[in-house]
Amino acid sequence: MDEVKVVVAHSERATLRVGDVFLKVDADQAHIDVEVEAMALAPVPTPEVLWRKPPVLAITAVPGTALGRLGEPSTASPAAWAAAGAAIRKLHDAPLPPWPGGAGRDLDALAADLDGECERLVTNGVLPADLVTRNRQVAQAALRPWTPMFTHGDLQITHVFTEDDEITGIIDWSEAGQGDPLYDLATLTLGHEEHLGDVVAGYGTDVDLDVIRAWWSLRSLLAVRWLVEHGFDPFMAGCEVDVLRSRM
């Protein structure tokens, strides 16, 4: 009998692996609906949907290994990172899905959430005031008009799989939809700034690097308290707090 492995688990969702099958359990059925539809539309390799019985979605494992992990050096080659950039560009150039995604939040609402979160981080003593203030300044560059594209919305490094310098699969599409394309590039390279040039080279067009760096600060500021409250450690070397410190 195959071992049951807990991939991720918190109060909102859980993912289990049994052999070559992943079972995703989500308290919000809308996330599963988006994931299934987005994978059907995305012009990049994705898992195969085996069955769904709310609140569970069963999908196949994709071949290869993840591009890396936050807080650890990536063993993937520059060519593999460039291939990831090319795959992201293919996704961004695809026809728009009809719904907004995690990378497509209203700018005024996002700015308000960011300001409130920065205040809580300082008031509750989670992070030093100077660190929060500096990164809030950097994050401002992300709050600008953008042209909507088909975005993944949660393109963490562990969601992109590679083998022989080719992308074999991209997983976890529950935040996909219309959004800011630079958010995807920033999410992928968070904590791996040394590979940003490879990704941009594969992406194949000029991008505003200041906006990508702004998204690193913005995403990290919004994530720190949530991660702590859900049993994760953003203070580990190379993770979100180190990303914030790198902007000082």
Side-chain angles (χ1 to χ4, degrees), residues 131-177:
L131 183 65
V132 172
T133 299
R134 171 56 183 158
N135 278 276
R136 177 61 184 87
Q137 293 169 344
V138 173
Q140 185 62 35
L143 303 175
R144 86 284 176 226
W146 40 266
T147 300
M149 291 187 178
F150 189 164
T151 53
H152 181 279
D154 189 23
L155 201 62
Q156 299 178 51
I157 190 175
T158 52
H159 293 167
V160 180
F161 285 72
T162 181
E163 188 173 62
D164 296 330
D165 296 337
E166 295 184 359
I167 300 304
T168 55
I170 299 176
I171 66 172
D172 284 5
W173 291 81
S174 62
E175 299 293 329

Side-chain angles (χ1 to χ4, degrees), residues 109-119 136 139 143 217-218 221-222:
L110 182 59
D113 286 349
L114 179 60
D115 287 341
E117 189 61 29
C118 287
E119 183 177 353
R136 177 61 184 87
L143 303 175
S217 290
L218 198 158
L221 286 169
L222 289 179

Side-chain angles (χ1 to χ4, degrees), residues 41-236:
L41 294 174
V44 296
T46 63
E48 175 188 354
V49 175
L50 297 175
W51 53 265
R52 54 187 305 207
K53 185 176 181 179
V56 183
L57 170 68
I59 58 176
T60 59
V62 297
T65 57
L67 202 56
R69 295 182 64 86
L70 184 62
E72 300 176 6
S74 171
T75 59
S77 69
W81 281 89
I88 298 168
R89 178 61 185 272
K90 189 174 183 180
L91 174 67
H92 290 170
D93 286 343
L96 284 173
W99 66 87
R105 295 183 59 189
D106 175 79
L107 292 179
D108 290 338
L110 182 59
D113 286 349
L114 179 60
D115 287 341
E117 189 61 29
C118 287
E119 183 177 353
R120 285 186 288 272
L121 288 170
V122 174
T123 301
N124 296 333
V126 180
L127 294 175
D130 60 340
L131 183 65
V132 172
T133 299
R134 171 56 183 158
N135 278 276
R136 177 61 184 87
Q137 293 169 344
V138 173
Q140 185 62 35
L143 303 175
R144 86 284 176 226
W146 40 266
T147 300
M149 291 187 178
F150 189 164
T151 53
H152 181 279
D154 189 23
L155 201 62
Q156 299 178 51
I157 190 175
T158 52
H159 293 167
V160 180
F161 285 72
T162 181
E163 188 173 62
D164 296 330
D165 296 337
E166 295 184 359
I167 300 304
T168 55
I170 299 176
I171 66 172
D172 284 5
W173 291 81
S174 62
E175 299 293 329
Q178 296 184 24
D180 178 358
L182 296 191
Y183 181 84
D184 274 352
L185 296 177
T187 303
L188 180 70
T189 55
L190 182 78
H192 289 273
E193 186 171 359
E194 70 277 11
H195 293 292
L196 177 59
D198 299 322
V199 172
V200 171
Y203 194 71
T205 188
D206 289 337
V207 299
D208 192 330
L209 299 182
D210 286 339
V211 171
I212 290 179
R213 296 184 181 103
W215 273 121
W216 290 340
S217 290
L218 198 158
R219 182 181 172 98
S220 297
L221 286 169
L222 289 179
V224 166
R225 195 168 56 89
W226 184 95
L227 290 168
V228 171
E229 292 175 353
H230 287 79
F232 302 100
D233 187 1
F235 291 86
M236 289 178 61

